[in-house]
Amino acid sequence: MSWQRSGKDHSVLLVLPSGIYHYKFIVDGEWRYTPDLPFIADEMGRICNLLDVHDYVPENLDSVAEFEAPASPTS
C-alpha cells in the first residue's frame, strides 16, 4: 500500500471485495474517525467510520485512469 500526497491531502487506492468495512485513522498517536462520513459505534461505544463497497465494473475503463496507482520510485 502506498500513500499519495497532494498538498495536505493523502490518498491510497485499494481494490476491495464487496462488503462493509470499518476503519479509523491514527493521528498523532491517537485513533480517530471522520464525523463527516458515515460512522457507527460498537457496544463499547468505540466509533469507526463505515465504507460500503459494492461490486462495480465501469463500462469505460478509461474513466478510472486517474485512479491508477503511480509507478514505484526507483529508490
Side-chain angles (χ1 to χ4, degrees), residues 51-71:
L51 176 63
D52 188 356
V53 176
H54 300 281
D55 283 331
Y56 171 71
V57 177
E59 290 181 25
N60 180 359
L61 292 178
D62 292 335
S63 66
V64 295
E66 67 185 66
F67 298 109
E68 289 179 10

Side-chain angles (χ1 to χ4, degrees), residues 18-68:
S18 291
I20 295 177
Y21 294 86
H22 297 206
Y23 65 96
K24 285 185 167 184
F25 304 95
I26 299 175
V27 179
D28 296 330
E30 294 186 32
W31 285 100
R32 300 185 186 236
Y33 72 100
T34 303
D36 299 347
L37 298 173
F39 62 88
I40 189 168
D42 66 12
E43 58 278 346
M44 300 294 289
R46 295 175 294 219
I47 301 174
C48 292
N49 288 107
L50 293 175
L51 176 63
D52 188 356
V53 176
H54 300 281
D55 283 331
Y56 171 71
V57 177
E59 290 181 25
N60 180 359
L61 292 178
D62 292 335
S63 66
V64 295
E66 67 185 66
F67 298 109
E68 289 179 10

